[in-house]
């Protein structure tokens, strides 16, 4: 997505932010554009407080002067703004390309509203072209990854699973866990796959976000498109 489309989506998203709101702050390059705009509003007197979904977002937010708190302090959030890797027509998502899916899902789940900002390349008819990230415990993770494949095969999916590496080193999440990226083709029943994956000991979360999104703001060459359920 060009920076311009990210900025346009972020500019539309900021219209949903009101004084005194408690905000969930997602992760990724699109959210980074939102944080820059939010910081300008804060400097102009907007009174909000944010809960971050990653250490990257924390560092940028702190540098931009956005006041932060924790979810346990505020208990629940009014609104979360986040990005996505894929969005289907039910507004179900694949997230976790940036490796922050566990914290992103905790924050989204505890937010009254979730708005996704993205470009139109993220819209798909069915989820699954993008690999599905799964956050697992590092303890005996190879066993967990075999279990994941066997469970999926038992409901008719085939494919491959790969431990995420960054520059040939194992990628470690902010929570100290590992990510496996799963390729099983198009996912016809995202809800069933989400539940099945999360039933396996060793799996902390997966990147399927079902029934969490309120609306999606798509940045386009000529303005924005808003998709509601
Ligand atoms: C991080 C995410 C991101 O929201 C997702 O990868 C989209 O990122 P970007 O805005 O850079 O395309 O889920 O875990």
């Amino acid at each position: 997505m060009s920076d311009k489309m990210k900025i346009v989506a972020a500019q539309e998203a900021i219209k949903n932010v009101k004084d005194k709101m408690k905000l969930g702050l997602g992760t990724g390059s699109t959210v980074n554009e939102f944080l820059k705009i939010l910081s300008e509003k804060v400097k102009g007197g907007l009174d909000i407080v944010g809960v971050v979904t990653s250490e990257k977002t924390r560092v940028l937010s702190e540098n931009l002067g956005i006041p932060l708190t924790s979810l346990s302090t505020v208990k629940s959030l009014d609104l979360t703004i986040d990005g996505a890797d894929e969005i289907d027509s039910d507004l179900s998502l694949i997230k976790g390309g940036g490796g922050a899916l566990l914290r992103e899902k905790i924050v989204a789940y505890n937010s009254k509203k979730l708005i996704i900002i993205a470009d139109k390349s993220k819209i798909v008819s069915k989820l699954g072209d993008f690999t599905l990230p799964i956050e697992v415990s590092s303890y005996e993770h190879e066993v967990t990854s075999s279990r994941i494949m066997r469970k999926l095969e038992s409901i008719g999916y085939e494919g491959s699973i790969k431990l995420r590496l960054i520059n040939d080193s194992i990628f470690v999440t902010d929570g100290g866990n590992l990510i496996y990226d799963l390729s099983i083709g198009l996912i016809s029943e995202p809800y069933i796959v989400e539940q099945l994956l999360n039933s396996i000991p060793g799996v902390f979360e997966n990147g399927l976000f079902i029934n969490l999104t309120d609306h999606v703001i798509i940045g386009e060459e000529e303005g924005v498109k808003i998709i509601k359920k």
Side-chain angles (χ1 to χ4, degrees):
M1 159 156 66
S2 81
D3 282 356
K4 188 181 162 229
M5 288 189 236
K6 294 178 195 186
I7 294 166
V8 167
Q11 281 168 337
E12 182 66 29
I14 199 79
K15 294 179 189 167
N16 294 273
V17 177
K18 308 279 181 258
D19 220 32
K20 306 282 178 212
M21 271 190 166
K22 296 170 275 176
L23 294 177
L25 305 174
T27 294
S29 54
T30 319
V31 168
N32 290 350
E33 296 302 335
F34 173 77
L35 295 176
K36 290 179 208 161
I37 297 167
L38 181 63
S39 119
E40 289 308 312
K41 297 279 178 196
V42 168
K43 282 180 196 138
L46 180 73
D47 181 15
I48 55 94
V49 66
V51 170
V52 297
T53 53
S54 65
E55 293 311 308
K56 275 189 184 154
T57 295
R58 178 186 307 286
V59 169
L60 182 58
S61 300
E62 283 174 353
N63 288 342
L64 289 168
I66 297 170
L68 299 179
T69 185
S70 67
L71 200 45
S72 42
T73 306
V74 293
K75 308 284 188 260
S76 78
L77 300 165
D78 299 300
L79 169 66
T80 291
I81 306 288
D82 205 344
D85 300 302
E86 279 190 348
I87 304 159
D88 76 7
S89 50
D90 291 330
L91 308 191
S92 295
L93 316 171
I94 288 184
K95 285 185 52 55
L101 65 114
L102 174 59
R103 294 186 182 189
E104 288 172 334
K105 207 182 263 190
I106 293 170
V107 166
Y109 188 79
N110 288 289
S111 186
K112 290 183 192 127
K113 206 167 173 187
L114 172 64
I115 296 179
I116 296 296
I117 49 179
D119 75 299
K120 63 179 178 213
S121 72
K122 306 283 180 79
I123 300 285
V124 295
S125 52
K126 269 195 195 313
L127 302 175
D129 251 349
F130 194 87
T131 51
L132 174 61
I134 306 172
E135 183 156 348
V136 304
S137 167
S138 60
Y139 175 75
E140 299 287 9
H141 60 92
E142 292 94 343
V143 175
T144 305
S145 80
S146 317
R147 265 288 166 198
I148 290 170
M149 286 319 293
R150 272 193 280 156
K151 277 267 190 186
L152 287 165
E153 280 158 17
S154 75
I155 59 162
Y157 287 93
E158 279 178 12
S160 59
I161 191 162
K162 225 161 113 187
L163 182 63
R164 189 177 293 186
L165 304 177
I166 295 285
N167 301 328
D168 293 331
S169 298
I170 294 178
F171 174 85
V172 180
T173 68
D174 288 341
N177 308 313
L178 308 183
I179 299 272
Y180 273 90
D181 289 302
L182 182 67
S183 305
I184 48 166
L186 297 182
I187 303 171
S188 41
E189 297 133 332
Y191 177 75
I192 291 174
V193 172
E194 188 204 15
Q195 298 300 307
L196 179 126
L197 291 172
N198 285 359
S199 72
I200 301 168
V203 170
F204 288 126
E205 252 313 335
N206 67 82
L208 287 166
F209 282 50
I210 318 288
N211 283 331
L212 286 170
T213 309
D214 289 274
H215 70 261
V216 172
I217 300 172
I218 300 294
E220 297 186 333
E221 293 86 357
E222 305 298 327
V224 291
K225 188 156 112 195
I226 297 172
I227 309 175
K228 295 195 173 167
K229 271 202 171 171

